[in-house]
Amino acid sequence: MRSLRSLDVPSGTPQPQALALRMKDMKYIKYSFAFGLLIVVIVVTGCSSISIRTVVEINAPKEEIYAVLADLDNYPEWNPYHRKVEGEFVEGAELKIYVLRPDGKEVEVPPHMMRIVENQEITWGGGIKGVFYGVHSFILESNSNGKTLLKHNEDFSGFAITFADLPPDVIADGYHQMNMALKKLIEDRRK
């Protein structure tokens, strides 16, 4: 890299052009520094990940549970964690999810609907892979006893995870609260 003091300016170069060459060098230095800093952050922090896994058995067929999870408009009626979900229930749709964590913090999340498999899976998520990426899923599995196992999971990844306010125990507690509210809603309907 050239020193600004020893900038090679061809003789006879008008002064404004020499200044322009110096300014290009400054821009190069600035972007090189920013890129270098980003590399240092990635190397020092590593590419972090957080996985949250919760499970609940619900005394109902998966079709009933899926119908409630797919009805995004009614989340405010029963869901203590995902207080409100705006957007269409179609793959690719942009969503806006309003979360109330058990620690009292309110968070607004802008994922998109990634995957819908009727009566089996609902997955939303998004972000920039490698930087900050999240995938939130509801997986429904039928048991031989007529009950359904709901696997409520989330995976966060990317180097920015290190700096994000994502306490796994708080999020897992929120998912557990949602799971129990869903279980109560569906099982109470069946009484």
Side-chain angles (χ1 to χ4, degrees), residues 1-9 22 25-26 29:
M1 194 177 333
R2 295 180 285 177
S3 163
L4 290 180
R5 293 184 191 270
S6 65
L7 184 64
D8 296 325
V9 178
R22 286 188 197 111
D25 277 357
M26 288 299 293
I29 291 168

Side-chain angles (χ1 to χ4, degrees), residues 13 81 107 160:
T13 302
Y81 187 78
V107 182

Side-chain angles (χ1 to χ4, degrees), residues 15-174:
Q15 287 299 324
Q17 287 179 348
L19 180 59
L21 286 172
R22 286 188 197 111
M23 294 192 67
K24 283 183 183 176
D25 277 357
M26 288 299 293
K27 192 175 187 179
Y28 173 78
I29 291 168
K30 181 174 79 173
Y31 287 119
S32 294
F33 177 77
F35 182 73
L37 184 60
L38 178 62
I39 296 300
V40 167
V41 167
I42 291 170
V43 169
V44 169
T45 61
C47 203
S48 298
S49 66
I50 297 172
S51 292
I52 298 165
R53 302 284 182 261
T54 63
V55 178
V56 64
E57 186 177 66
I58 301 174
N59 189 14
K62 63 183 181 178
E63 293 79 9
E64 286 182 37
I65 300 161
Y66 179 87
V68 173
L69 290 172
D71 187 2
L72 304 178
D73 291 337
N74 280 322
Y75 275 39
E77 303 299 319
W78 64 270
N79 194 326
Y81 187 78
H82 298 110
R83 295 298 302 140
K84 182 178 178 184
V85 178
E86 295 175 351
E88 293 183 59
F89 188 75
V90 295
E91 285 186 10
E94 297 295 321
L95 303 174
K96 188 180 286 185
I97 300 175
Y98 300 87
V99 172
L100 177 60
R101 293 188 343 195
D103 62 4
K105 184 170 183 177
E106 294 182 14
V107 182
E108 189 177 308
V109 184
H112 67 277
M113 190 64 77
M114 298 175 83
R115 193 168 35 259
I116 299 171
V117 180
E118 188 172 4
N119 299 321
Q120 294 178 37
E121 177 184 356
I122 299 169
T123 298
W124 60 59
I128 300 171
K129 288 186 177 182
V131 179
F132 185 98
Y133 196 74
V135 177
H136 188 122
S137 61
F138 304 101
I139 308 293
L140 300 169
E141 296 177 359
S142 296
N143 288 342
S144 59
N145 59 7
K147 298 179 182 182
T148 301
L149 202 60
L150 166 64
K151 296 179 178 181
H152 184 178
N153 305 324
E154 183 128 26
D155 293 302
F156 297 102
S157 62
F159 78 86
I161 297 302
T162 305
F163 309 106
D165 182 17
L166 296 170
D169 56 332
V170 173
I171 296 170
D173 186 34

